[in-house]
Amino acid sequence: MQDVTVVRTSVQPPYAAHLRVYEPLAAYPEPERARWQAYAAEHGPDAAEAARPVAAAVLAEQREALAELAARTPRALPERESGRAYLRAVDGVLYVCPWATRLRSWQALEALREGAPVALLDAAVPPVVREAAEADRERWLAGHPDARPWILTSRWEVPVRWFLPFGDEDRCFVPGGADEEGEGAGERPAALFYLVPMAQARRRVARAYRALREAVPEGRLVLGAEQVGRWLEEFHPRSLVELDYGGLVHLLGPERLLADRSAGELEEGLRALRAGDTAEAVRVYAELTGRWRRVQALRHAN
């Protein structure tokens, strides 16, 4: 990915990327397994399986979130946990990534509380609403101590640490084009995602963490590698890990997506670091982070 241009549309999509874990159906205990099996029978995994992202399901999740916000009484989080999931079928195996919308809403509210100015926070989510949501969260966690989200979301950028589980060979670029229904259906946007088995993702993150700890023990990427590694360890070892550029495809445009090799660049930097060429590793990292900072700056142009 080189320089970046803004792609404007009549409807502004959420400029967000997603890191997802799909666990095999067998990883879910009963009766949850039977419920997801029935859900898959009704909705089916993405028709193209691993060949393109779960775009239709992403749109459905966005619409559900907007419905919550547009309600007569806007809610800080859903009243009950979502019973929906992203599905993938690879080599005859069904993989499930639950939306876990309520859990993710609690986490988003916590991030907002830590990062937003108090005046803005109080205007968006009044203190009494936050207190009720936090009390609800504590009650729920008491009965679900091992709860963790299957999906991480980042707005306006792909965090550099998210590329650690992937190699350039895991990259899949899907050009945009007309929908199958014909000319009246409009244009399907381009897509860019990475998909890799969990075992390989964990190995890559562990190798990167060791190399970074030896070279720059206090660096931000070291902490990021540790965070990603710990999150991945929460899931079944035969899961799939997916990095989906999501709504960022609308921001970057197909030409920039086609040229993007962020995971491969980070791999090159880590190879240089392991070979003792710290200067080259720093150069690659600075170039990569600088490029994504320029993408973040585009929020002011939209």
Side-chain angles (χ1 to χ4, degrees):
M1 185 175 63
Q2 301 171 3
D3 56 336
V4 178
T5 52
V6 179
V7 179
R8 295 188 182 276
T9 62
S10 58
V11 178
Q12 293 296 334
Y15 293 133
H18 310 279
L19 189 63
R20 304 187 185 101
V21 170
Y22 295 77
E23 292 189 283
L25 183 63
Y28 294 90
E30 294 291 2
E32 191 177 4
R33 183 188 309 173
R35 180 167 62 84
W36 287 129
Q37 193 166 22
Y39 178 86
E42 179 181 355
H43 298 277
D46 188 48
E49 298 183 338
R52 82 174 277 111
V54 285
V58 170
L59 181 59
E61 185 181 16
Q62 292 172 359
R63 286 173 175 167
E64 187 173 289
L66 287 173
E68 292 283 345
L69 293 174
R72 180 169 298 180
T73 303
R75 293 182 286 270
L77 66 159
E79 292 182 356
R80 59 183 61 86
E81 188 56 275
S82 173
R84 305 185 69 177
Y86 296 112
L87 304 172
R88 279 198 178 276
V90 180
D91 295 332
V93 178
L94 177 66
Y95 295 86
V96 181
C97 175
W99 286 6
T101 309
R102 188 170 170 85
L103 175 59
R104 290 160 59 205
S105 296
W106 274 318
Q107 294 177 324
L109 189 60
E110 178 66 16
L112 184 65
R113 186 183 66 82
E114 294 176 353
V118 175
L120 176 60
L121 180 60
D122 288 346
V125 189
V128 64
V129 175
R130 298 201 304 274
E131 290 171 7
E134 182 60 28
D136 195 16
R137 179 175 183 264
E138 291 301 321
R139 285 193 297 271
W140 187 85
L141 286 177
H144 304 81
D146 298 325
R148 74 280 194 258
W150 286 261
I151 306 170
L152 303 181
T153 297
S154 174
R155 290 169 176 78
W156 296 98
E157 67 164 337
V158 180
V160 173
R161 64 184 180 275
W162 283 13
F163 292 109
L164 290 170
F166 308 97
D168 195 56
E169 67 274 17
D170 306 315
R171 178 184 181 278
C172 184
F173 173 72
V174 183
D179 286 332
E180 293 181 0
E181 287 77 2
E183 296 180 1
E187 290 291 312
R188 182 183 65 243
L192 178 58
F193 69 102
Y194 293 80
L195 190 67
V196 68
M198 175 63 79
Q200 193 168 354
R202 288 177 177 171
R203 282 196 299 270
R204 284 195 178 117
V205 173
R207 289 188 66 202
Y209 178 72
R210 288 194 297 268
L212 289 164
R213 276 294 302 269
E214 293 176 3
V216 282
E218 302 300 324
R220 292 179 58 187
L221 195 53
V222 178
L223 178 60
E226 182 178 7
Q227 292 172 340
V228 171
R230 287 184 175 180
W231 181 65
L232 294 179
E233 288 294 332
E234 296 287 334
F235 301 97
H236 192 279
R238 294 187 180 178
S239 300
L240 300 176
V241 186
E242 176 188 65
L243 170 54
D244 182 0
Y245 274 46
L248 293 183
V249 301
H250 303 281
L251 184 67
L252 301 175
E255 292 184 2
R256 303 297 184 257
L257 291 173
L258 181 60
D260 179 68
R261 290 293 188 282
S262 293
E265 290 180 57
L266 186 57
E267 270 194 314
E268 292 174 5
L270 289 169
R271 278 197 294 268
L273 190 65
R274 285 190 284 267
D277 192 347
T278 305
E280 174 62 12
V282 169
R283 184 197 67 78
V284 170
Y285 179 70
E287 183 175 326
L288 194 56
T289 54
R291 199 179 307 140
W292 281 105
R293 276 196 295 268
R294 291 195 293 276
V295 173
Q296 283 186 298
L298 293 177
R299 72 178 68 189
H300 303 298
N302 285 266

